[in-house]
Amino acid sequence: MGNFIGKAVKRREDARFLKGAGKYTDDIKLPKMTQSAFVRSPYAHAKVLSVDISEAEKADGVVAIFTGSDGCGEYGVPCGWQVDFKNGETMREPKHPLLVKDKIKHVGEAVAFVIAETLEQARDAAELVEVEYEELPVVTDPQKAMDKDAPLVHGEWKDNAAFDWCIGNDRADVEAALEKAHHVTEMEYRNQRLAPNAMEPRSYIADYDVNADKYTLYTSTQNPHLIRLLMCAFVLGIPEHKVRIVSKDVGGGFGSKIYHYTEEALLTWASKQIGRPVKWTSDRSEAFLTDAHGRDHVVKSKMGFDKEGKIVAHLTDEYCAMGAYLSTFAPAVPTYLHGTLFQGVYTTPLIHLNVVGPFTHTVPVDAYRGAGRPEATYLLERIISKGAQEMGMDAAEIRMKNFIPPFDGVKEEGYQTQVALQYDSGNYQQALKKGLEKLGYENFRKEQEEARKNGKLLGVGLSTYIEGCGIAPSAVVGALGARAGLYEVGQVRVQPTGKVSVFTGAHSHGQGHETVFAQFVADKLGIDMADVEIEHGDTDQVAFGMGTYGSRSLAVGGSAIIKSIEKILDKGAKIAAHKLEAAEGDLEYASGKWTVKGTDKSVSFGDVALTAYVPHNYPEGLEPGLDFSSFYDPSNFTYPFGTHIAVVEVDKDTGAVDLQRFIAIDDVGNIMNPMIVDGQIHGGVAQGVGQALLEEVVYDESGQMITGSYMDYAMPRADDLPMIETDNTVTPCPHNPLGVKGAGEAGAIGSTPAVVNAVVDALAHLGVTDIQMPLKPQTVWKAMQN
């Protein structure tokens, strides 16, 4: 009973997954359910001259066909975060139509929606839809999109900027400090565009009940309530109590299932038009063409150092692609989730970042695992390593010189950065020291020298990162442009038998919530984990919550649950005191029972629960029941940090990179389940290594995606990764009741620059100072030759 926190409890949810009994959207079969397919544009920019559905309507099994000229064409999906221009101009927010009726903005945009009895019939009929286009000029590069003669993605504005934003110190002060610096390191590169590629593609089923005048949307989303809010209030205008969103098991999201997609609203609208359920599941080709992508930053940066290697100033200009439309959180990613991390773990006194967010004729870009934090870390960790290389300093030494001193946020205040945020607690030296010891850094440098004499190219790369998780107070983010609150809800319902049902607004799509949440609930209540069930993903069951993204589930959602547990224990103590005929202050709670201090008189949690629902002998004036809901709005971000170290060997003949070791020392605050934390780190590292070495979305000059399948888009596989060596330090978060910081994105944040730094280190003696990602063999080979 109890004592579950910190234990490597095996995931409870895996039992049904291993048996094939998961509750995924595509598994659902409703009576009279129809299937659907889209007619999508083969052009990136084109006028739609005509859409002829006459032949398609005659095809077998067709139930209905809709185009942008039908009622659905009047609706558009909104953005959820507003980032205005630094000159005060309002962010430019184009309408994102459910079906296009006039002008295409990227390959894959839908111009017609075909509903039929079977999927095969829907696809066959879609091929019979005749669309006439007039092709128009295209721009896909975010920097070129800001050229004076660039084709306009949205003709209502004078240029392609959605916003032009900055953060940090005055630019003139930063430029002056760089002029006086002993050494200035410069970098220009592209943080390439990535496709999310969750194992489960997006899948939706919409069902309209004419008798109840109510819609149900089954959707593979990370945040059901947010989808309901956006779709009801800002798209279709349906009262929220008339819409139920259900999202049970979801096979991975990585951010790409946060957003409200046009297909969700369109299917919901169409289900009422035909009076039957409508289903659509993306295939992998559609996923490449329509799922929101990640990254895609064009970066130009300067970092100045004094003669001791201390950073004196950092100046960066970025063009961060928005794609053709503004996805739900897109404007926040390269601004408030990116620029606010430009301090990193260093005492940089002067920082200025300018971000332009251009529209391009490409799929919208939004949060992808880490969401702005990996891009900030990549720049900081590459430029400081490059600076060390140019100044002849050791990569570990230069970091130690520049680290923010340790602070716990209790005895010492949090650390105020130059870019708005105040870190809660951190000990960055400790994490780096632990990583260097685990590697055997000094011995490795000797081995590296010997290897070079023998013609082997070994390299080690360091990355010391910090991230902001559990996004901060609603009032703060509201002032920064968020169009929703970022709190979380947790309801704890004690049944008369003492069993406990927990309803959380956080959503699980692989993180193990059903295990971890049950662990700390059972621990706090002193009951068995088997007596705790976790419910999520149904807006008719759970009070309004904000879902899962930004490593927020435990820090924000868990804290809401803790608040409800505290209310239960407080009320339980009143009932127990009455039963024991003792003063409430004379009781202590441990191991699932209230005991009168210094005696053996006690009453169990189960007895109190039964009394709460059968209140025959009950405190006067106390209402029955033992069921509480709480909302938790965080007072700050949480700030996980750590050190990642990669060891590589580069084949001198081919440029192929062999990742031989990967060490991850992460500080995610207090750890509820070390096995699950390790799993999160492993998954994140795999994705970070994928970006460093393999993955890249490429568009040609006409806007065609030429990496739209696994034949062309290289995903990491098992033999691309070594056994990942994980360890941790623990610096508790001082401002949430669990002391947790978040682990879901850390692996993807620290790993990418560690791998690239390692490859550059392996080739440094050849004069190589930088290589553009992804580090494919031919790219590395060319760098070696140059």
Side-chain angles (χ1 to χ4, degrees):
M1 307 286 278
N3 298 316
F4 295 110
I5 289 179
K7 302 293 175 59
V9 178
K10 290 184 178 180
R11 287 171 28 122
R12 302 199 308 183
E13 45 270 79
D14 287 346
R16 68 175 183 274
F17 296 146
L18 291 170
K19 292 186 290 187
K23 300 174 184 177
Y24 296 94
T25 301
D26 194 56
D27 296 327
I28 296 170
K29 293 179 175 60
L30 301 179
K32 300 179 68 179
M33 185 170 72
T34 61
Q35 300 281 349
S36 62
F38 286 91
V39 179
R40 299 189 181 276
S41 169
Y43 300 107
H45 192 201
K47 289 181 182 178
V48 180
L49 301 179
S50 65
V51 181
D52 184 354
I53 63 172
S54 57
E55 290 301 313
E57 285 181 311
K58 301 173 187 174
D60 291 345
V62 169
V63 175
I65 301 176
F66 298 105
T67 71
S69 297
D70 297 310
C72 58
E74 304 306 312
Y75 298 115
V77 172
C79 178
W81 200 297
Q82 182 174 324
V83 174
D84 292 332
F85 288 72
K86 58 178 182 276
N87 65 6
E89 182 184 344
T90 302
M91 180 180 80
R92 298 165 181 171
E93 186 175 355
K95 178 182 177 181
H96 190 175
L98 306 190
L99 289 174
V100 176
K101 64 178 177 179
D102 47 14
K103 190 178 285 187
I104 295 296
K105 304 297 196 308
H106 70 85
V107 170
E109 271 207 280
V111 295
F113 181 50
V114 179
I115 303 172
E117 298 293 347
T118 70
L119 179 58
E120 292 74 16
Q121 288 172 334
R123 288 175 172 171
D124 288 345
E127 291 185 3
L128 298 175
V129 175
E130 294 288 338
V131 185
E132 185 180 358
Y133 300 94
E134 179 186 325
E135 198 170 357
L136 297 170
V138 169
V139 63
T140 61
D141 181 276
Q143 186 169 9
K144 291 179 180 177
M146 293 308 298
D147 291 347
K148 288 183 179 179
D149 59 350
L152 292 177
V153 180
H154 301 282
E156 58 265 46
W157 294 292
K158 63 182 180 180
D159 60 39
N160 284 318
F163 56 83
D164 185 342
W165 175 92
C166 68
I167 194 170
N169 307 101
D170 185 86
R171 187 181 186 105
D173 293 341
V174 178
E175 289 175 337
L178 288 169
E179 287 288 328
K180 297 175 185 176
H182 172 73
H183 178 82
V184 176
T185 293
E186 299 187 35
M187 286 189 69
E188 292 188 37
Y189 65 92
R190 185 167 187 159
N191 198 304
Q192 79 270 35
R193 181 181 284 243
L194 303 176
N197 282 308
M199 187 177 291
E200 178 202 21
R202 291 190 291 125
S203 183
Y204 311 129
I205 302 171
D207 182 19
Y208 175 70
D209 182 342
V210 66
N211 296 312
D213 185 27
K214 185 168 183 175
Y215 302 82
T216 299
L217 176 66
Y218 301 90
T219 171
S220 53
T221 184
Q222 297 175 213
N223 42 1
H225 283 97
L226 184 62
I227 300 306
R228 188 181 69 173
L229 171 65
L230 291 171
M231 186 170 71
C232 291
F234 300 103
V235 185
L236 299 179
I238 305 170
E240 283 184 77
H241 69 288
K242 292 294 185 180
V243 176
R244 177 190 180 198
I245 306 290
V246 181
S247 178
K248 289 298 184 181
D249 292 324
V250 173
F254 314 127
S256 71
K257 293 175 184 171
I258 297 172
Y259 332 118
H260 181 28
Y261 288 93
T262 56
E263 292 92 349
E264 289 169 307
L266 181 59
L267 264 75
T268 302
W269 175 87
S271 68
K272 183 175 183 179
Q273 307 306 308
I274 68 169
R276 294 174 62 182
V278 187
K279 179 178 183 179
W280 173 75
T281 298
S282 169
D283 61 29
R284 192 58 64 181
S285 294
E286 281 183 297
F288 273 105
L289 290 175
T290 63
D291 290 4
H293 292 159
R295 317 293 190 243
D296 204 357
H297 291 195
V298 175
V299 182
K300 184 175 183 179
S301 186
K302 296 180 181 179
M303 181 174 279
F305 301 87
D306 67 17
K307 61 183 179 181
E308 302 299 325
K310 287 276 288 181
I311 303 168
V312 296
H314 184 201
L315 176 66
T316 298
D317 291 286
E318 299 191 14
Y319 296 91
C320 302
M322 291 292 100
Y325 303 98
L326 296 179
S327 181
T328 305
F329 286 119
V333 174
T335 56
Y336 293 109
L337 297 180
H338 176 63
T340 54
L341 269 298
F342 259 58
Q343 188 89 40
V345 291
Y346 307 118
T347 56
T348 310
L350 291 167
I351 300 169
H352 184 88
L353 167 68
N354 196 90
V355 175
V356 179
F359 293 111
T360 54
H361 292 109
T362 61
V363 176
V365 176
D366 208 318
Y368 173 67
R369 199 170 191 166
R373 283 72 56 86
E375 298 93 314
T377 298
Y378 184 81
L379 171 56
L380 289 171
E381 294 308 293
R382 278 294 300 121
I383 202 167
I384 197 169
S385 284
K386 188 170 185 278
Q389 183 181 353
E390 291 171 349
M391 291 185 288
M393 293 183 65
D394 181 77
E397 177 192 1
I398 197 171
R399 286 170 168 80
M400 288 293 187
K401 278 181 180 287
N402 286 283
F403 276 151
I404 296 164
F407 61 103
D408 64 11
V410 179
K411 296 189 294 293
E412 308 92 358
E413 288 188 14
Y415 183 84
Q416 181 60 53
T417 71
Q418 306 296 319
V419 280
L421 297 182
Q422 185 180 76
Y423 298 161
D424 55 3
S425 59
N427 188 337
Y428 315 123
Q429 294 88 339
Q430 183 183 24
L432 177 55
K433 287 177 181 176
K434 195 165 191 176
L436 296 175
E437 289 170 5
K438 199 172 187 73
L439 171 66
Y441 187 65
E442 291 183 8
N443 287 335
F444 175 83
R445 286 299 187 192
K446 295 174 184 175
E447 292 170 13
Q448 183 184 39
E449 285 300 316
E450 286 300 313
R452 282 177 179 169
K453 292 175 185 176
N454 296 321
K456 291 179 66 177
L457 301 175
L458 292 182
V460 61
L462 308 182
S463 172
T464 51
Y465 75 90
I466 190 169
E467 55 170 327
C469 297
I471 300 179
S474 295
V476 173
V477 297
L480 299 179
R483 292 170 173 170
L486 295 179
Y487 51 81
E488 196 47 80
V489 67
Q491 180 187 12
V492 179
R493 181 182 301 163
V494 181
Q495 311 292 355
T497 57
K499 312 305 181 187
V500 177
S501 299
V502 178
F503 301 86
T504 175
H507 186 277
S508 178
H509 40 280
Q511 296 91 334
H513 291 179
E514 292 172 40
T515 302
V516 176
F517 284 15
Q519 277 184 258
F520 74 77
V521 170
D523 195 282
K524 295 295 183 182
L525 294 177
I527 61 178
D528 195 88
M529 274 185 65
D531 292 340
V532 181
E533 67 169 357
I534 308 297
E535 296 289 345
H536 66 89
D538 188 334
T539 59
D540 272 11
Q541 285 189 342
V542 181
F544 196 104
M546 294 307 297
T548 293
Y549 45 87
S551 303
R552 72 187 299 272
S553 294
L554 196 54
V556 186
S559 294
I561 294 169
I562 288 292
K563 287 182 69 176
S564 291
I565 289 173
E566 289 169 350
K567 294 173 184 177
I568 283 167
L569 292 177
D570 182 62
K571 184 175 182 179
K574 290 178 172 59
I575 300 169
H578 182 81
K579 290 179 71 69
L580 292 168
E581 298 180 337
E584 190 179 336
D586 291 337
L587 302 184
E588 59 183 3
Y589 187 79
S591 302
K593 60 185 178 182
W594 284 269
T595 303
V596 179
K597 296 174 187 175
T599 76
D600 59 358
K601 293 177 61 179
S602 65
V603 60
S604 71
F605 181 78
D607 286 341
V608 166
L610 185 60
T611 302
Y613 290 97
V614 187
H616 297 161
N617 179 20
Y618 204 66
E620 186 176 348
L622 190 67
E623 63 183 88
L626 207 52
D627 183 344
F628 287 97
S629 288
S630 302
F631 289 82
Y632 178 77
D633 205 358
S635 60
N636 192 2
F637 287 85
T638 61
Y639 299 92
F641 62 89
T643 292
H644 287 189
I645 301 175
V647 174
V648 303
E649 181 177 354
V650 177
D651 189 301
K652 61 186 176 64
D653 296 319
T654 66
V657 176
D658 177 23
L659 180 58
Q660 296 186 334
R661 289 185 71 182
F662 196 95
I663 297 167
I665 311 296
D666 297 284
D667 195 314
V668 299
N670 291 335
I671 294 174
M672 298 293 107
N673 186 318
M675 179 188 70
I676 288 179
V677 167
D678 281 351
Q680 290 282 346
I681 300 300
H682 286 196
V685 167
Q687 287 181 281
V689 172
Q691 176 172 12
L693 300 179
L694 301 163
E695 298 183 51
E696 182 179 26
V697 170
V698 179
Y699 288 93
D700 68 14
E701 291 185 357
S702 69
Q704 294 296 322
M705 188 190 298
I706 60 176
T707 52
S709 76
Y710 290 146
M711 294 294 290
D712 304 293
Y713 188 94
M715 294 283 285
R717 292 168 171 78
D719 61 357
D720 293 313
L721 297 164
M723 291 299 293
I724 298 167
E725 303 167 54
T726 58
D727 207 336
N728 59 77
T729 62
V730 178
T731 311
C733 173
H735 60 79
N736 70 51
L738 289 169
V740 296
K741 293 191 171 187
E745 297 162 293
I749 292 170
S751 56
T752 307
V755 173
V756 177
N757 280 339
V759 175
V760 172
D761 182 64
L763 307 179
H765 64 296
L766 303 176
V768 175
T769 60
D770 192 29
I771 308 177
Q772 298 290 302
M773 293 189 293
L775 274 60
K776 297 177 181 177
Q778 60 268 38
T779 304
V780 177
W781 186 85
K782 286 179 182 178
M784 293 163 62
Q785 308 315 306
N786 292 336

